[in-house]
Amino acid sequence: MRHVARASVLAITCLSLAACSDGDGKSDPEPSPRTALKFGQTADTAGADGKGTVQITPETVVYVDKAGADAPEHGLFAVVTFKAGNRAKDSVTTTAAQGGFRWKALDGKTIKAGNSKGAGGIAPIGFNDGGGKPTVRAKTSQVNTVAFDITTVEKGGTLVYVDGEGVEFRWKVPSTSAGPTANALKSALK
């Protein structure tokens, strides 16, 4: 009798598991949430509309209370340089100009790049352009900038990039100015 009861429980369990799958006996696992990358680490991202692959690497962040003649509305500009690389034979477009970059503060507040007139107009001399030049030519890379108008308590947030397939990539941003071009970027913002 015990063997029949065990067999029945086993059969019911197997039927339950099969009912939860698409019929081939395999379950569809949910994707695991992405963990934040280290600032300076490269992510392979889908280009705009899911076409092509762009390597996005945030490289430098500077915090300034003025950029040229513009003062931030919220107290501080966070300006991030990022390298956009393309190893393919065809040009690829990033989602940077479509609102792909965001700043997530420690309290969970999300801020879009160029969220104020001042932040939207930041285009430091010596960098490709402000706001992220969207098209990356074949077999090249370029360094662009994105800027956020934040409060001082929002320093050290998380940089979020949403690619052409809607996938979010996250990097923990240092809470002080850092990166290989920090001094050059600060000078270009004066």
Side-chain angles (χ1 to χ4, degrees):
M1 192 66 154
R2 284 186 183 166
H3 293 293
V4 172
R6 284 186 188 162
S8 295
V9 169
L10 184 57
I12 290 169
T13 302
C14 290
L15 286 172
S16 296
L17 288 174
C20 294
S21 69
D22 59 7
D24 62 357
K26 298 177 185 172
S27 63
D28 293 325
E30 290 294 314
S32 61
R34 292 187 181 268
T35 57
L37 300 167
K38 290 181 182 177
F39 200 73
Q41 194 172 2
T42 301
D44 289 330
T45 70
D49 300 322
K51 297 176 184 171
T53 301
V54 183
Q55 293 180 310
I56 299 291
T57 312
E59 296 183 316
T60 297
V61 61
V62 298
Y63 298 98
V64 294
D65 56 11
K66 193 172 183 184
D70 292 319
E73 293 174 19
H74 303 289
L76 200 63
F77 288 127
V79 184
V80 178
T81 66
F82 68 96
K83 184 189 300 184
N86 177 9
R87 291 193 243 161
K89 292 186 259 179
D90 298 314
S91 293
V92 66
T93 302
T94 72
T95 61
Q98 302 167 350
F101 278 104
R102 296 165 190 149
W103 185 277
K104 189 168 186 177
L106 297 175
D107 66 1
K109 178 182 173 186
T110 300
I111 303 160
K112 289 184 179 181
N115 61 312
S116 69
K117 182 179 178 184
I122 291 178
I125 295 170
F127 296 86
N128 279 347
D129 69 353
K133 190 172 183 177
T135 302
V136 185
R137 292 188 325 266
K139 299 188 185 253
T140 64
S141 65
Q142 60 196 32
V143 177
N144 293 300
T145 60
V146 290
F148 305 88
D149 192 334
I150 63 171
T151 65
T152 55
V153 297
E154 293 169 332
K155 289 172 68 172
T158 300
L159 181 69
V160 179
Y161 178 75
V162 181
D163 75 0
E165 293 179 343
V167 177
E168 287 188 1
F169 295 86
R170 298 185 309 270
W171 294 266
K172 179 67 181 127
V173 181
S175 60
T176 59
S177 296
T181 59
N183 290 334
L185 183 55
K186 278 185 182 181
S187 293
L189 292 169
K190 289 183 178 181

